[in-house]
Each structure stands twice: as structure tokens, then as C-alpha cells.
């Protein structure tokens, strides 16, 4: 009888371990998720949630960011270049619908530049972007929250531009819902370009 009990316990333990392993490592089928994650994501399915993650690193620039300094013949556009590292996470509910997504960003070798003079203003940037979907699976119902800091310095002097705090936007970032801290993104949406005066002076 004792041998039978031990054998049963071992068998039950084995089944439990197999079930746990299946839940822990079984990848969710991308076609079952709404919207499906991009190809770079790796997904793991649990009982009530599927979590997809990706790590991406790429460099870009210099690209014209649409900020114009000065006027007339002295006017120039600001160009941006950097290396961006992203850790991206998507959370899908038990029905396979996207409920939340988070992107952690770290910019290195970032700088704004003036191609006409060759001058640059380096910057550092670390931020987190969180989208929460009011209706899971429907990206148009998301609210985006941006937190972090973005600091620009000309040489060894004091910072010439800050972008810090917390901003909340609608799904396509066309509406700034709320803002706390010091944000030139908020100012640019409101049409106040004077926040870039110090950067323009450093690049002129």
C-alpha cells in the first residue's frame, strides 16, 4: 500500500510539473491575439494573461524634426540623431485582446544639430510610455502616459532645454489631456516655440 501511495504521489507531482511547464513556456499563437504583436515579439501564455516582450536597438539620423530656428536668411532647421534602445511589453487578456502596452526607452549618443554650422547640442533621454486600452483590442480607445526626462546641454554649461515629468495624451497624441512637470512637448502642442530659444542660440 505504501508503494502505491508513493507511486501515485510521484505521478501527480509529475503531472503538476508538466502542467506548470506548459503554462510557463508554451508560446501563444500570434494569430490568436488582437491586434497581433509585431514579429520581433516573443510571447508566453498564462491562465489569464499573455505577455509578449521584445528588445529593439537601432540608430537613426540626422533627421529634420521640423523645429525652425530664426527667420529669413538666418533660419535653419534642427536635426536629430541618436541610438535608441527599447524594451517593449504587451499584455493581452484571457480573450487574447490587448489590454496594456509599455515601452521603456533609453537614448544614447543623442544630439540635436545644425547642418549649416556643424554645431551640436547633446542630450540624454530616459522615458516610459504606457498605453491603457479602455476597450481591450481597440487601439483607438487607448490613453497614453509618458513619464521620464529629456535634458539638453550645450557644452559643460547649464541645461538649455528640459522635458521632464508626466504627460497624458489621447490615442494618436493629438490631444494633451494633462501635463505635470516641465515639458516642451506640451509647449510645442500649444504653439509656444520660445521654449527652444536657448537651443537655437547654442546651434546658431
Amino acid at each position: 500500500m505504501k508503494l502505491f501511495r508513493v507511486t501515485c504521489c510521484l505521478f501527480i507531482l509529475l503531472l503538476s510539473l508538466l502542467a506548470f511547464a506548459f503554462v510557463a513556456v508554451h508560446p501563444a499563437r500570434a494569430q490568436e491575439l488582437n491586434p497581433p504583436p509585431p514579429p520581433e515579439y516573443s510571447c508566453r501564455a498564462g491562465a489569464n494573461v499573455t505577455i509578449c516582450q521584445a528588445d529593439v536597438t537601432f540608430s537613426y539620423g540626422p533627421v529634420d524634426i521640423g523645429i525652425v530656428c530664426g527667420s529669413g536668411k538666418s533660419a535653419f532647421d534642427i536635426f536629430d540623431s541618436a541610438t535608441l534602445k527599447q524594451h517593449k511589453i504587451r499584455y493581452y487578456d484571457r480573450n487574447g485582446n490587448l489590454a496594456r502596452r509599455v515601452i521603456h526607452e533609453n537614448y544614447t549618443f543623442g544630439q540635436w544639430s545644425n547642418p549649416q554650422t556643424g554645431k551640436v547640442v547633446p542630450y540624454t533621454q530616459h522615458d516610459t510610455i504606457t498605453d491603457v486600452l479602455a476597450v481591450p483590442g481597440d487601439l483607438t480607445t487607448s490613453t497614453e502616459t509618458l513619464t521620464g526626462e529629456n535634458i539638453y546641454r550645450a557644452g559643460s554649461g547649464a541645461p538649455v532645454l528640459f522635458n521632464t515629468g508626466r504627460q497624458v495624451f489621447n490615442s494618436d497624441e493629438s490631444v494633451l489631456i494633462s501635463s505635470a512637470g516641465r515639458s516642451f512637448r506640451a509647449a510645442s502642442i500649444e504653439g509656444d516655440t520660445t521654449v527652444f530659444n536657448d537651443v537655437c542660440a547654442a546651434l546658431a
Side-chain angles (χ1 to χ4, degrees):
M1 179 66 69
K2 182 180 293 186
L3 178 61
F4 176 75
R5 287 178 178 174
V6 171
T7 303
C8 285
C9 290
L10 289 173
F11 180 71
I12 292 172
L13 177 61
L14 178 61
L15 287 178
S16 299
L17 289 173
L18 288 174
F20 175 80
F22 179 81
V23 171
V25 305
H26 178 64
R29 296 179 181 177
Q31 63 268 29
E32 296 175 352
L33 301 176
N34 173 44
E40 68 267 20
Y41 282 81
S42 176
C43 301
R44 292 181 182 272
N48 296 309
V49 64
T50 295
I51 300 176
C52 301
Q53 301 187 63
D55 288 293
V56 178
T57 300
F58 61 91
S59 298
Y60 65 87
V63 293
D64 191 335
I65 58 176
I67 297 175
V68 180
C69 295
S71 60
K73 293 182 179 180
S74 63
F76 62 90
D77 291 355
I78 294 179
F79 284 70
D80 178 34
S81 59
T83 295
L84 172 58
K85 296 181 179 180
Q86 293 180 319
H87 178 60
K88 304 189 288 186
I89 314 169
R90 290 186 170 209
Y91 300 88
Y92 292 84
D93 64 19
R94 64 187 306 165
N95 297 316
N97 293 314
L98 180 65
R100 181 165 61 99
R101 61 182 179 182
V102 181
I103 302 177
H104 301 285
E105 297 186 324
N106 180 31
Y107 290 76
T108 57
F109 308 107
Q111 64 178 30
W112 281 5
S113 62
N114 176 1
Q116 296 180 16
T117 63
K119 293 183 179 181
V120 301
V121 172
Y123 67 82
T124 58
Q125 182 172 343
H126 314 279
D127 56 57
T128 298
I129 304 168
T130 303
D131 292 310
V132 177
L133 283 65
V135 178
D138 186 354
L139 290 172
T140 64
T141 69
S142 69
T143 300
E144 177 182 290
T145 300
L146 173 64
T147 59
E149 66 172 24
N150 181 202
I151 301 175
Y152 297 74
R153 295 180 182 273
S156 58
V160 293
L161 185 63
F162 289 92
N163 187 36
T164 60
R166 178 178 183 270
Q167 291 82 48
V168 180
F169 296 88
N170 67 335
S171 61
D172 62 1
E173 294 189 353
S174 62
V175 177
L176 177 63
I177 299 172
S178 66
S179 179
R182 188 170 180 175
S183 170
F184 69 75
R185 290 188 65 181
S188 61
I189 290 174
E190 295 161 3
D192 180 14
T193 59
T194 60
V195 294
F196 303 111
N197 285 351
D198 289 343
V199 171
C200 289
L203 293 174

